[in-house]
Amino acid sequence: RDLTLMAGRITILNGADASITAGRSLILSKSSGVAGALPAPGYGGKLQFVGKTIASDADIVALAGQISMNSNATPNDIANGLEVAGGTVKVSGGTISTAGTAVAFGSTVAYAPAGNIAIDGGAGNVVIDSTATVDVSSTGAAAGTLSLKAVNGSNGKAMVNGTLKGQATEGVDGLLPTQGRFTLDTDK
């Protein structure tokens, strides 16, 4: 029912699509004492995380890709004792990144725009604590979109205390790309 995923970094291969679903609580955690260098993250992939509650302090990276965290908790789950005091989706630390990336082709550099991050609290709240970073920034291409949703009909909240990055900076061509976008849909 509960699922804990502990890794030095959670990432995706180029263009791959992966979904991790827990029947109840999904805990994404950064392991300590990782030996050796981590492989370079892929880009353009999609990572989806689903659980009644999701807690993360992991480093999750899908450069120029998509990451979603979706609580599928219902008001009935909460009425029946599902513990959601800290939020149905709580990012307590680590980094969630779909930042853009640069790829060198000989003497030429190509830029991939940042991707999208969507966090949906389902029937509960979304919390991004002060030690967490959410990154949709980019260099040389458009920054991405961060969407937070906490709508449960009466008292859904999004509490954001962490670092949000959505800046787009110019690449070697000197052109300033489109800046990041942020959408917030809450009851309060």
Side-chain angles (χ1 to χ4, degrees), residues 98-164:
T98 60
T101 188
V103 180
F105 296 98
S107 63
T108 302
V109 176
Y111 300 100
N116 302 313
I117 297 172
I119 301 175
D120 185 342
N125 299 326
V126 172
V127 177
I128 300 175
D129 280 344
S130 62
T131 58
T133 299
V134 182
D135 187 356
V136 294
S137 65
S138 189
T139 296
T145 299
L146 169 59
S147 300
L148 302 179
K149 182 176 180 183
V151 176
N152 60 33
S154 62
N155 60 2
K157 298 180 220 169
M159 292 159 277
V160 180
N161 294 308
T163 301
L164 306 181

Side-chain angles (χ1 to χ4, degrees), residues 14 16 19 31-32 54 58 63 82 91 93 103 110 164 174 185 187:
N14 295 340
S19 181
S31 62
S32 60
I54 300 172
L63 298 178
L82 179 67
V91 182
V103 180
L164 306 181
D185 186 5
D187 291 323

Side-chain angles (χ1 to χ4, degrees), residues 13-82:
L13 295 175
N14 295 340
D17 186 346
S19 181
I20 298 171
T21 302
R24 191 164 170 96
S25 295
L26 176 59
I27 301 166
L28 307 169
S29 184
K30 183 174 184 174
S31 62
S32 60
V34 175
L38 294 171
Y43 49 88
K46 180 179 178 183
L47 286 168
Q48 180 179 22
F49 302 96
V50 179
K52 292 194 182 295
T53 62
I54 300 172
S56 177
D57 68 358
D59 289 335
I60 304 169
V61 180
L63 298 178
Q66 298 177 48
I67 297 173
S68 64
M69 292 181 164
N70 300 305
S71 168
N72 58 8
T74 65
N76 196 39
D77 292 326
I78 295 169
N80 288 325
L82 179 67

